[in-house]
Amino acid sequence: MLKVRGKLDYTAIIGPVQRRLFGALVEHMGRSVYTGIYEPGHKRADASGFRCDVLELVAELGTTIVRYPGGNFVSSYRWEDGAGPVEERPTRLDLAWHAIETNEFGLDEFMRWTQRAQVEPMMVLNLGTRGMPEALDLLEYANHPGGTTLSELRRGHGAPTPYGIRMWCLGNEMDGPWQVGHKTAREYGRIAAETARAMRMVDPKLELVACGSSGPAMPTFGTWETTVLEETYDLVDCISLHAYYEEIGGDLESFLASSVDLERAIKRVVTAADAVGAQRGDPREIAVAVDEWNVWYLSAFQSAEPRTEWSRAAPLCEEAYTAADAVVVGSLLIALLKHVDRVTSACLAQLVNVIAPIRTEPGGPAWRQTTFYPFALTASRAKGSVALIACEAPEMEVDKYGAVQVVDAVATIAETGHIAVFAVNRDTHEDVELEVDLGNLSASLCEVTVLSDADPHARNTRETPDRVVPGAGRGSVDGRQLTLTLPPVSWLVARLDVGSSFGTEGLLRVHSEGA
Ligand code: AHR
């Protein structure tokens, strides 16, 4: 048993829990849309063809914002193909995923789906094969109340109320040579700037996300952000960061330390952004939108034979996630919470079927993957403000990232007097006893929920959808000390009640008075 001491530091409040941290991506890729969220004729489909079993799981997952329509798909997409009468819509080649796109589902359906799912839309613009004029058209169609050709077209398509989309991504992964319309940083920066400038003439309050590099392993990572922000700094609110992780060659230890890499990547993006801000003498801070993150067995996908058939909504990247994958997803969420001062939105990529926490069978059931649980538990338990837990934990040496702490943890403090502690044990053999000093609060323990499995590679499947589920964990509170037991390769959330009389302000006051 490894012993780890931690201290909940009420004075180190990082920032409010951003509800947009619990976003996801719905892309026209594989079966994410077709037979994922949308399957007319399915016995659980509503009149619009939306699968209600999936909608129920999306609500349980706690998703708050959904990015659409891609991903790589967007970079050769024409938004108007997916608006208006379905029978008049064109069928086209989707170059990103070598697929046939029927456009049965498009912008109008997606907006109706977001209303049903009660999530905020995050719209991605095609800055690959298109540019500012088409972005302006889409903005006018979506958000202008009426009286213009495009806004009247939307009204004619059955949407009298403007969609009111606030958050817009200026392209997707434009530094990736795989991207249709791939560009250099300077080329992209200029197009993003002119698009952003024109969009702000329509509505200065839009929230715009410049496209960051497609990942920390890209040779362009860092310099891309600098160049793009030199062109766009005063015109955008956020820069995007994408990060995917996988267990390669049985190196479970490195995989379990993935969140260390995510934190380093966030710091590198923030450093690049702040350097541009400083150079310009602009005190405004650019936020980071981690608008694609997840576990993805990308090397297997990349080494597979490329598709030759042009197929329609064929399965793609339908990972069956393991218990270890879920622990990594939980630890990546801890990393995001630790950076809420700069990371103001994030999207798990993706939501359904394609590298997703929700799986469906065409004409059949929907079920929760292992990764569903840490996401849903974090989205529902993380409330109020994020506070650091400083841990004195032993280190382990991992091949990919060097020395990393065995345990990582963070807390949230809500005005209702509830504290949530999130923790991960990266050790593959040893239990960890985590003792957290709660300061001078007297707390009662409401819940300890742990996700782990004797077999870290156990999965949920259609036949065994509940093979890996969270269970009751071990914990206790003694005076000012919380003690939690974390099995090897586990993620855990504990909930404490410190009394409804203490708001966040109260907690801070009580702590400093008692210190
Ligand atoms: O989420 C899958 C793909 O990953 C997205 O289409 C792309 O943006 C990223 O490379």
Side-chain angles (χ1 to χ4, degrees):
M1 167 92 77
L2 298 170
K3 295 236 179 210
V4 174
R5 285 182 167 281
K7 186 169 170 40
L8 179 49
D9 189 351
Y10 305 110
T11 58
I13 297 288
I14 305 163
V17 177
Q18 308 279 354
R19 294 324 297 173
R20 280 178 173 169
L21 226 49
F22 306 110
L25 168 65
V26 167
E27 174 166 8
H28 284 252
M29 174 180 176
R31 298 192 310 110
S32 173
V33 172
Y34 304 110
T35 72
I37 62 171
Y38 176 78
E39 189 177 351
H42 188 279
K43 64 174 187 296
R44 296 290 320 275
D46 66 10
S48 303
F50 304 149
R51 280 186 66 154
C52 296
D53 52 349
V54 174
L55 280 165
E56 284 159 16
L57 288 175
V58 169
E60 188 185 324
L61 188 66
T63 324
T64 52
I65 184 165
V66 175
R67 188 168 177 257
Y68 175 86
N72 298 342
F73 171 80
V74 80
S75 294
S76 61
Y77 181 55
R78 308 175 212 200
W79 67 266
E80 58 276 34
D81 287 354
V86 173
E87 57 288 357
E88 290 171 19
R89 296 185 190 175
T91 294
R92 296 199 194 271
L93 296 181
D94 159 27
L95 304 185
W97 304 114
H98 204 82
I100 300 283
E101 175 55 55
T102 61
N103 287 305
E104 272 168 74
F105 187 101
L107 173 65
D108 293 328
E109 288 74 23
F110 175 68
M111 291 310 302
R112 271 203 295 280
W113 183 85
T114 59
Q115 285 151 13
R116 281 293 315 274
Q118 293 187 301
V119 296
E120 182 187 353
M122 182 189 208
M123 194 55 59
V124 188
L125 296 164
N126 173 359
L127 294 190
T129 59
R130 300 188 129 187
M132 178 252 282
E134 296 88 354
L136 287 177
D137 285 351
L138 171 50
L139 177 60
E140 185 178 322
Y141 178 90
N143 282 7
H144 196 69
T148 66
T149 304
L150 286 167
S151 54
E152 288 302 323
L153 194 62
R154 182 202 67 241
R155 291 167 66 90
H157 293 159
T161 313
Y163 292 143
I165 303 166
R166 307 298 329 149
M167 222 173 163
W168 297 78
C169 301
L170 303 165
N172 178 73
E173 294 193 348
M174 297 307 302
D175 68 335
W178 57 86
Q179 206 68 220
V180 183
H182 158 66
K183 294 180 172 43
T184 66
R186 195 63 71 189
E187 284 166 349
Y188 164 73
R190 291 180 70 88
I191 292 173
E194 70 180 24
T195 306
R197 199 173 290 114
M199 289 177 78
R200 292 209 182 282
M201 288 179 185
V202 178
D203 182 353
K205 293 208 182 85
L206 296 176
E207 293 173 62
L208 302 180
V209 185
C211 184
S213 164
S214 45
M218 291 290 287
T220 30
F221 192 75
T223 54
W224 172 275
E225 281 76 3
T226 302
T227 309
V228 166
L229 287 173
E230 279 168 6
E231 298 289 339
T232 59
Y233 199 92
D234 53 335
L235 296 163
V236 300
D237 303 283
C238 309
I239 181 116
S240 71
L241 167 62
H242 291 183
Y244 290 102
Y245 298 95
E246 63 180 311
E247 183 184 343
I248 299 179
D251 184 1
L252 181 56
E253 280 81 3
S254 291
F255 178 50
L256 289 165
S258 299
S259 64
V260 170
D261 186 66
L262 177 60
E263 286 200 59
R264 287 178 190 164
I266 293 169
K267 284 179 197 152
R268 285 176 67 190
V269 173
V270 166
T271 305
D274 288 352
V276 178
Q279 228 168 35
R280 301 168 59 101
D282 191 333
R284 208 173 126 260
E285 281 182 344
I286 298 290
V288 182
V290 186
D291 58 22
E292 285 188 31
W293 68 271
N294 205 349
V295 172
W296 182 7
Y297 287 86
L298 187 56
S299 352
F301 173 66
Q302 284 170 336
S303 56
E305 282 297 308
R307 280 185 167 169
T308 49
E309 293 294 308
W310 291 94
S311 45
R312 200 193 130 178
L316 201 58
C317 303
E318 298 197 354
E319 312 290 16
Y321 285 118
T322 66
D325 295 335
V327 170
V328 169
V329 163
S331 69
L332 293 169
L333 283 159
I334 291 174
L336 293 174
L337 285 169
K338 284 165 74 179
H339 293 276
V340 284
D341 53 337
R342 296 301 288 265
V343 177
T344 53
S345 60
C347 296
L348 182 71
Q350 302 191 1
L351 184 61
V352 185
N353 288 329
V354 180
I355 45 173
I358 299 170
R359 275 290 298 276
T360 70
E361 188 112 308
W367 65 96
R368 300 166 190 81
Q369 295 238 48
T370 58
T371 53
F372 182 98
Y373 295 105
F375 191 101
L377 285 162
T378 306
S380 61
R381 307 297 193 264
K383 296 269 159 67
S385 303
V386 181
L388 280 183
I389 297 184
C391 284
E392 285 167 30
E395 291 191 332
M396 58 195 241
E397 193 67 26
V398 304
D399 284 353
K400 269 185 105 170
Y401 311 118
V404 303
Q405 287 210 330
V406 165
V407 166
D408 196 15
V410 74
T412 62
I413 305 175
E415 285 184 355
T416 53
H418 286 102
I419 295 179
V421 172
F422 303 90
V424 62
N425 175 10
R426 297 179 174 127
D427 196 283
T428 52
H429 298 292
E430 297 275 345
D431 279 359
V432 161
E433 190 176 83
L434 171 62
E435 290 178 357
V436 183
D437 178 354
L438 297 173
N440 54 1
L441 288 171
S442 83
S444 58
L445 189 58
C446 314
E447 170 204 14
V448 183
T449 303
V450 69
L451 196 131
S452 70
D453 197 284
D455 174 7
H457 295 102
R459 304 157 199 266
N460 295 342
T461 62
R462 187 206 156 137
E463 290 69 37
T464 56
D466 298 325
R467 168 67 182 80
V468 182
V469 291
R474 283 194 284 149
S476 60
V477 175
D478 184 8
R480 3 183 319 167
Q481 186 173 290
L482 165 70
T483 305
L484 299 165
T485 305
L486 285 132
V489 192
S490 67
W491 173 91
L492 165 154
V493 55
R495 265 194 342 133
L496 303 153
D497 190 349
V498 292
S500 55
S501 52
F502 299 112
T504 307
E505 289 297 315
L507 283 170
L508 290 168
R509 202 169 47 246
V510 166
H511 180 75
S512 55
E513 280 167 7

